[in-house]
């Protein structure tokens, strides 16, 4: 459902405004390469104003009861659900996500709904272990939270970052990705419609080196939560350390291995792993870009995987029959195609990789499979973020564990086997924040912590642990006169 007019604005201190210097940046439809709209580019003045508004709003927002704060989150959840069709359309034209696969409005609404009633979860503790004292801890909000979200599933991350931070009593300044700012801009209008007090939730669009960098180094931002690339995460951590040592939560890249043993349900393993790397055109941090198949079933698996992976319906992401959209833009397209050319130098190209979707006119990359690729090859070590998979073989459990863990990433890992003991051994041995058994990414559990080992991140997000990320712990020591 196309909106009558697309007119993105910044949300600063409760008002939808243009950039203070009227500066904008163009946004292009990756499926057609045509310009969609000019988007406000938040200036230094705008970013500082948003932080100042959030700081000013913090005392009164944090003083509200959790049920009062929750009412605003519930209103926003309802408005997001009502706007599903428009949000799907905006994501399709801004980053190429097929509307047939867009369920993000329900996910985002569920985040706000959950946190609106999750206020009982974080509680302090008491202790009588010190004679003559009653000691306790308080859980209190930090203040201003900066949130920088990625372009691949922006609506979901909008909710995952802001809902727990707001419910904990913090105020928020969120910066959307310049590649996919439209759903965030739409939600900004819904925040205004829901009646949030001015300054409680501010939404900026703009470039990372400007507004993102300011949030990372701002002395009044006490927590910075970011999902995106390892390189940007490193820059954010450096900026945070050099400013006020703000608390940093990072969910970064991945290079997910999927290990398939000979006793696995081959049909299910093939379909699941195919979907994992093809969903959202491979632009998912937990997509299984490395598949290890036991030698005895390798030929059967590869033939079946190739058949399923090739059978995509690429085209206009606004078309409900499309299940394979473009890469999010020219930069991402060039990155993926460069990796494919690099892969041709080291591995065997089994499918794709030859520009078969160029006739569509957008930044489309066809599903691509490499086999027999050395473990130290570039496409085995670096995150491609496209519909490109490497399928290699293995003989033993010990061998494949070594190969699966031989990466600086550790976000997600998958194993398929009917042997429960083996499944548990693999789950323990994987160096990954999430391990799935007989299912593949993007399968996650909302009530479980999510985050990465090694360079894949710092901290954990998720319903049960989410509020804790945005609450300080204070110890209170009270002397009691026994007389």
């Amino acid at each position: 459902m196309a909106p009558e007019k697309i007119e993105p604005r910044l949300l600063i201190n409760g008002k939808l405004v243009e950039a203070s210097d009227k500066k904008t940046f163009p946004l292009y439809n990756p499926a057609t390469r045509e310009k969609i709209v000019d988007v406000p580019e938040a200036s230094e003045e705008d970013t500082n104003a948003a932080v100042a508004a959030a700081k000013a709003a913090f005392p009164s927002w944090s003083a509200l009861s959790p049920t009062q704060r929750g009412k605003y989150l519930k209103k926003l959840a309802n408005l997001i659900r009502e706007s599903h069709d428009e949000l799907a359309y905006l994501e399709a034209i801004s980053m190429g996500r097929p509307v047939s696969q867009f369920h993000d409005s329900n996910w985002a609404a569920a985040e706000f709904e959950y946190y609106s009633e999750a206020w009982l979860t974080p509680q302090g503790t008491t202790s009588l272990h010190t004679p003559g004292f009653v000691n306790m801890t308080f859980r209190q909000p930090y203040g201003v939270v900066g949130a920088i979200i990625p372009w691949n599933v922006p609506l979901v991350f909008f909710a995952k970052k802001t809902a727990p931070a707001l419910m904990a009593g913090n105020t928020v300044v969120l910066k959307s990705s310049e590649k996919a700012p439209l759903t965030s801009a739409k939600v900004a209008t819904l925040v205004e419609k829901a009646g949030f007090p001015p300054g409680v939730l501010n939404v900026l669009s703009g470039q990372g080196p400007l507004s993102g960098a300011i949030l990372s180094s701002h002395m009044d931002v006490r927590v910075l939560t970011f999902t995106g690339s390892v390189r940007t995460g490193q820059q954010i951590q450096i900026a945070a350390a050099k400013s006020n040592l703000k608390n940093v939560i990072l969910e970064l890249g991945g290079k997910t291995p999927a290990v398939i043993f000979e006793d696995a349900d081959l049909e299910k393993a093939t379909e699941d792993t195919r979907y994992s790397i093809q969903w959202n055109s491979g632009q998912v941090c937990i997509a299984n870009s490395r598949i290890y198949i036991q030698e005895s079933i390798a030929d059967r698996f590869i033939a079946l995987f190739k058949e399923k992976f090739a059978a995509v319906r690429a085209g206009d992401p606004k078309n409900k029959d499309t299940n394979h959209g473009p890469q999010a833009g020219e930069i991402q397209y060039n990155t993926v195609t460069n990796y494919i050319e690099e892969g041709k130098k080291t591995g065997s190209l089994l499918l794709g990789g030859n520009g078969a979707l160029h006739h569509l006119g957008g930044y489309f990359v066809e599903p691509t499979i490499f086999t027999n690729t050395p473990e130290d090859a570039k496409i085995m070590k670096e995150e491609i973020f496209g519909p490109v998979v490497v399928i290699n073989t293995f003989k033993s459990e010990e061998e494949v564990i070594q190969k699966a863990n031989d990466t600086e990433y550790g976000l997600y890992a998958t194993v398929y086997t009917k042997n429960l003991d083996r499944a548990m051994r693999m789950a323990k041995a994987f160096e990954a924040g999430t391990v799935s058994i007989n299912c593949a990414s993007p399968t996650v559990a909302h009530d479980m912590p999510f985050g990465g080992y090694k360079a894949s991140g710092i901290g954990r997000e998720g319903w049960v642990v989410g509020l804790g990320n945005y609450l300080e712990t204070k110890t209170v020591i009270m002397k009691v006169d026994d007389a």
Side-chain angles (χ1 to χ4, degrees):
M1 184 178 70
E4 292 183 6
K5 188 176 183 180
I6 300 174
E7 194 174 52
R9 290 289 182 264
L10 312 175
L11 178 63
I12 300 176
N13 202 25
K15 296 180 179 179
L16 295 166
V17 297
E18 297 178 314
S20 56
D21 56 5
K22 308 299 181 184
K23 192 173 180 180
T24 62
F25 62 91
L27 185 67
Y28 296 90
N29 184 333
T32 64
R33 310 192 188 201
E34 296 174 349
K35 182 177 173 180
I36 306 166
V37 68
D38 289 312
V39 181
E41 183 173 346
S43 64
E44 180 177 357
E45 179 183 338
D46 296 324
T47 310
N48 288 331
V51 174
K55 185 178 180 180
F58 172 69
S60 57
W61 178 253
S62 59
L64 292 177
S65 71
T67 52
Q68 289 174 306
R69 292 197 292 269
K71 289 178 181 178
Y72 293 102
L73 271 66
K74 288 180 180 178
K75 287 181 183 178
L76 183 56
N78 290 333
L79 291 169
I80 288 173
R81 288 190 193 277
E82 292 171 4
S83 304
H84 169 82
D85 288 346
E86 184 177 347
L87 290 165
Y89 176 86
L90 291 173
E91 201 141 310
I93 64 171
S94 62
M95 62 78 59
R97 177 78 167 277
V99 296
S100 64
Q101 298 178 340
F102 186 84
H103 310 291
D104 301 30
S105 55
N106 291 327
W107 188 346
E111 293 284 328
F112 285 109
E113 288 168 343
Y114 170 81
Y115 283 109
S116 71
E117 297 184 356
W119 53 273
L120 275 174
T121 305
Q123 295 185 343
T125 59
T126 60
S127 170
L128 299 176
H129 294 160
T130 305
F133 289 84
V134 175
N135 301 328
M136 65 196 79
T137 59
F138 293 166
R139 303 298 305 280
Q140 295 179 294
Y142 283 84
V144 178
V145 172
I148 303 175
I149 62 173
W151 48 263
N152 59 336
V153 277
L155 182 58
V156 170
F157 282 103
F158 188 111
K160 282 169 65 76
K161 305 292 189 186
T162 62
L166 292 169
M167 198 59 204
N170 302 277
T171 51
V172 179
V173 179
L174 178 138
K175 192 198 87 67
S176 63
S177 168
E178 60 273 18
K179 291 183 180 178
L182 297 187
T183 49
S184 294
K186 173 61 182 180
V187 176
T189 69
L190 303 182
V191 170
E192 182 191 45
K193 190 174 181 179
F196 275 75
V200 168
L201 177 52
N202 306 271
V203 181
L204 305 177
S205 51
Q207 307 297 322
L210 179 58
S211 50
I214 292 171
L215 289 177
S216 302
S217 60
H218 205 294
M219 295 299 291
D220 288 332
V221 174
R222 297 299 172 183
V223 180
L224 198 291
T225 175
F226 168 77
T227 295
S229 71
V230 172
R231 182 180 60 83
T232 303
Q234 290 171 328
Q235 294 172 342
I236 286 172
Q237 194 170 22
I238 291 169
K242 286 183 175 180
S243 54
N244 58 353
L245 281 173
K246 56 177 63 65
N247 193 43
V248 176
I249 305 159
L250 301 174
E251 194 240 285
L252 307 176
K255 195 68 178 172
T256 296
V259 176
I260 302 168
F261 286 92
E262 60 188 359
D263 65 339
D265 182 332
L266 201 60
E267 177 70 29
K268 185 177 190 305
T270 306
E271 177 55 30
D272 289 353
T273 53
R274 187 282 311 169
Y275 182 77
S276 174
I277 191 62
Q278 188 257 320
W279 182 72
N280 206 18
S281 300
Q283 299 170 128
V284 187
C285 54
I286 55 178
N288 49 223
S289 56
R290 295 181 296 151
I291 297 177
Y292 294 99
I293 182 75
Q294 200 156 20
E295 280 187 355
S296 58
I297 57 169
D299 290 343
R300 290 165 52 209
F301 175 86
I302 291 171
L304 188 58
F305 189 94
K306 179 181 178 182
E307 178 185 347
K308 290 177 177 290
F309 200 29
V312 298
R313 300 184 302 278
D316 184 352
K318 302 191 301 296
N319 187 329
K320 290 186 177 181
D321 292 329
T322 297
N323 68 0
H324 187 82
Q327 305 310 118
E330 183 178 8
I331 294 175
Q332 187 60 26
Y333 173 81
N334 289 337
T335 297
V336 174
T337 53
N338 286 340
Y339 273 116
I340 291 173
E341 293 307 308
E342 184 70 26
K344 292 176 182 179
K345 300 175 185 177
T346 53
S348 301
L349 180 65
L350 182 67
L351 176 72
N354 295 306
L357 299 181
H358 286 173
H359 67 281
L360 295 173
Y363 296 114
F364 290 88
V365 174
E366 72 263 42
T368 301
I369 301 172
F370 286 98
T371 58
N372 304 315
T373 302
E375 291 296 317
D376 61 353
K378 190 173 183 179
I379 62 170
M380 291 295 287
K381 296 296 186 184
E382 299 181 13
E383 186 176 35
I384 299 174
F385 227 58
V388 182
V389 65
V390 178
I391 304 176
N392 279 349
T393 62
F394 71 94
K395 294 179 180 179
S396 69
E397 197 174 309
E398 294 75 20
E399 174 196 358
V400 77
I401 278 293
Q402 189 279 325
K403 289 179 177 179
N405 288 338
D406 188 18
T407 172
E408 281 305 304
Y409 294 106
L411 192 57
Y412 198 103
T414 293
V415 59
Y416 281 85
T417 178
K418 294 177 183 177
N419 184 320
L420 182 58
D421 291 332
R422 174 190 285 151
M424 287 294 99
R425 287 195 302 270
M426 297 292 291
K428 288 174 62 179
F430 279 132
E431 296 172 353
T434 296
V435 175
S436 64
I437 299 172
N438 295 326
C439 57
S441 68
T443 304
V444 292
H446 294 295
D447 60 341
M448 291 287 108
F450 184 84
Y453 277 34
K454 299 185 284 191
S456 285
I458 298 173
R460 294 294 183 268
E461 296 177 300
W463 285 358
V464 175
V465 299
L467 283 170
N469 287 328
Y470 303 101
L471 291 166
E472 286 271 33
T473 299
K474 177 187 291 181
T475 295
V476 178
I477 303 170
M478 183 168 67
K479 183 73 171 70
V480 177
D481 188 353
D482 292 334

